[in-house]
């Protein structure tokens, strides 16, 4: 390195120092671009030093100065890149901040009542039912809402054109074979699926949505919910059925409630019964159907009726939620009106 010091050396050192300060002080990307093009452009301080290189007489000093000009440009470039990154990062975060939509503002602001959602009444009832049955030693199972004729009717001891099929106003799904696919009219088809899938003994409850061709009124909806129960074991008797219904009644409604069975008819149970629950005021609520699983149904589920026996029951959940909360019109539960739903917790 020569120690030659021309006036140009001094100017270059000054231009570099000034340039670095200006770059550091730029507060926006636009300003930085302007500063940099003024510094390094054709009319800038570095360019004017470059053009005066010819006047430096000493060849070594001229060479050295040329190298220093290049170094100065490189140093300005490094400083520019660094500052540019900083500015862009800051600009990006302020853009994000300014475009942010604060969804919490309204709910959190003073004087605005905060509203929390609640589970639907039917969901609440369903979860409590599941808890009670799990407490009694049952497992939970589920089946499809779109069913075949086989599971919804035939396997349940209702061959085609069996008159009992008209007990359920069936909604059919379009399919290749007319009438072979239905929206399940009850949760009983899940009995068959569980018998086919699970090795006995079976203690299962099967909640779910069911569908019937009904005009909505105060006590009916075309879509509603049932819970099915199925017990399969050796030596199960009607007394086990009655005892289970009674234990369930006390566990779910409270110790002051009792149940009763009335003879009835279902194709898939024999004998069959309907069961009612007695309220505190002595009046009875009809809850659902039950009975001993018919041998044809055990066979359709792949079980030998000489070895296994069992009982089944099924009842409506919406009806229960309606009774429990003293709701007059079942349609209110599906009105999606918060003024109605927020009354129940
Ligand atoms: N599936 C019957 C109904 O929907 C109820 C039931 C279930 C009856 C199980 C007996 C046994 O009406």
């Amino acid at each position: 390195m020569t120690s030659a010091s021309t006036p140009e050396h001094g100017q270059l050192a000054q231009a570099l120092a000034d340039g670095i300060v200006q770059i550091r002080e730029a507060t926006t990307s636009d300003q930085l671009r302007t500063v940099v093009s003024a510094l390094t452009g054709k009319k800038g301080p570095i360019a004017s030093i470059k053009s005066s290189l010819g006047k430096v007489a000493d060849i070594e000093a001229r060479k050295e100065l040329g190298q220093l000009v290049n170094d100065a440009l490189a140093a300005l470039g490094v400083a520019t890149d660094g500052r540019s990154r900083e500015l862009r990062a800051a600009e990006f975060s302020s853009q994000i901040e300014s475009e942010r939509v604060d969804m919490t503002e309204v709910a959190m602001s003073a004087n605005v009542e905060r509203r929390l959602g609640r589970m639907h009444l039917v969901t609440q009832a369903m979860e409590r039912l599941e808890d009670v049955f799990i407490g009694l030693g049952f497992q939970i199972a589920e089946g499809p809402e779109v069913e075949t004729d086989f599971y919804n009717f035939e396997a349940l001891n209702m061959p085609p054109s069996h008159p009992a099929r008209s007990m359920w106003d069936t909604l059919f799904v379009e399919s290749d074979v007319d009438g072979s696919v239905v929206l399940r009219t009850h949760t009983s088809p899940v009995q068959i699926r569980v018998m086919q899938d699970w090795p006995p003994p079976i203690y299962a409850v099967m909640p779910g949505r069911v569908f019937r061709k009904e005009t909505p009124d105060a006590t009916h909806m075309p879509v509603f919910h049932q819970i099915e129960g199925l017990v399969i074991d050796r030596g199960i008797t009607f007394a086990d059925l009655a005892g289970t219904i009674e234990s369930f009644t006390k566990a779910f409604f409270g110790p002051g409630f009792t149940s009763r069975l009335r003879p009835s008819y279902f194709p898939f149970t024999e004998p069959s019964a309907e069961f009612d629950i007695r309220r505190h005021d002595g009046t009875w609520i009809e809850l659902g159907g039950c009975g001993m699983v018919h041998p044809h149904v055990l066979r359709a589920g792949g079980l030998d009726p000489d070895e296994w026996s069992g009982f089944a029951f099924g009842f409506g959940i919406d009806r229960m939620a309606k009774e429990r909360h003293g709701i007059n019109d079942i349609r209110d539960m599906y009105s999606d009106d918060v003024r109605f739903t927020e009354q129940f917790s």
Side-chain angles (χ1 to χ4, degrees):
M1 267 256 164
T2 73
S3 53
S5 185
T6 61
E8 285 78 8
H9 276 79
Q11 287 163 19
L12 182 62
Q14 191 60 49
L16 179 57
D18 289 351
I20 300 267
V21 169
Q22 286 175 40
I23 286 167
R24 293 243 169 89
E25 285 178 351
T27 52
T28 66
S29 294
D30 282 347
Q31 197 192 340
L32 179 63
R33 260 190 298 279
T34 314
V35 164
V36 169
S37 62
L39 282 172
T40 59
K42 281 189 192 130
K43 291 180 181 151
I46 312 274
S48 85
I49 293 165
K50 226 175 171 178
S51 62
S52 60
L53 273 179
K55 286 190 246 154
V56 178
D58 184 292
I59 295 187
E60 282 306 311
R62 194 195 302 163
K63 260 193 187 167
E64 193 212 36
L65 193 60
Q67 185 57 49
L68 288 175
V69 165
N70 288 340
D71 292 349
L73 287 170
L76 290 175
V78 170
T80 304
D81 288 349
R83 185 62 184 148
S84 167
R85 260 195 301 278
E86 286 168 10
L87 290 173
R88 270 179 310 175
E91 283 159 4
F92 184 61
S93 28
S94 74
Q95 180 193 351
I96 298 253
E97 185 56 31
S98 72
E99 289 176 1
R100 186 162 73 107
V101 180
D102 186 352
M103 309 292 276
T104 61
E105 230 161 21
V106 173
M108 305 303 279
S109 66
N111 305 326
V112 177
E113 180 198 347
R114 274 194 258 167
R115 282 186 174 181
L116 275 188
R118 293 217 177 84
M119 276 196 296
H120 193 273
L121 290 184
V122 170
T123 311
Q124 291 178 28
M126 209 178 277
E127 296 202 345
R128 265 202 76 222
L129 284 167
E130 288 180 12
D131 286 350
V132 165
F133 279 112
I134 286 172
L136 294 173
F138 285 71
Q139 285 178 282
I140 313 282
E142 276 181 8
E145 294 176 347
V146 178
E147 262 299 5
T148 58
D149 177 278
F150 175 78
Y151 284 102
N152 197 79
F153 293 118
E154 202 164 338
L156 291 166
N157 198 28
M158 284 175 278
S161 79
H162 190 288
R165 286 176 172 227
S166 61
M167 287 166 74
W168 298 272
D169 294 301
T170 309
L171 289 160
F172 293 90
V173 176
E174 255 179 56
S175 64
D176 293 343
V177 182
D178 241 13
S180 64
V181 182
V182 303
L183 293 180
R184 66 177 178 193
T185 58
H186 49 178
T187 43
S188 298
V190 194
Q191 286 185 35
I192 308 294
R193 293 184 176 274
V194 167
M195 283 187 253
Q196 288 177 341
D197 290 350
W198 296 5
I202 295 167
Y203 290 78
V205 286
M206 304 142 249
R209 229 167 8 161
V210 299
F211 309 83
R212 289 186 199 172
K213 199 169 161 227
E214 305 254 22
T215 307
D217 65 24
T219 52
H220 297 89
M221 286 293 274
V223 180
F224 59 104
H225 303 78
Q226 286 188 333
I227 188 162
E228 191 83 9
L230 176 68
V231 166
I232 302 287
D233 209 333
R234 291 188 171 88
I236 295 288
T237 68
F238 201 90
D240 297 314
L241 165 59
T244 303
I245 300 270
E246 183 65 12
S247 312
F248 157 74
T249 301
K250 291 197 160 24
F252 188 82
F253 293 95
F257 286 74
T258 47
S259 60
R260 76 174 174 198
L261 302 180
R262 280 178 291 117
S264 186
Y265 171 76
F266 296 100
F268 31 91
T269 45
E270 178 59 33
S272 302
E274 270 169 83
F275 63 96
D276 308 328
I277 306 295
R278 197 179 59 160
R279 293 197 193 95
H280 288 298
D281 64 4
T283 57
W284 295 88
I285 327 165
E286 269 183 52
L287 212 58
C290 60
M292 302 307 290
V293 180
H294 195 288
H296 289 174
V297 175
L298 289 170
R299 269 191 218 101
L303 298 174
D304 178 358
D306 291 331
E307 186 179 1
W308 301 102
S309 58
F311 64 79
F313 55 84
F315 54 89
I317 298 175
D318 308 64
R319 164 97 57 96
M320 258 182 48
K322 175 179 177 292
E323 293 296 336
R324 173 147 186 254
H325 297 286
I327 294 161
N328 293 323
D329 192 320
I330 211 161
R331 290 168 294 190
D332 289 340
M333 293 203 295
Y334 295 98
S335 62
D336 289 342
D337 185 334
V338 286
R339 291 167 304 178
F340 174 79
T341 51
E342 74 189 356
Q343 298 175 82
F344 310 97
S345 57

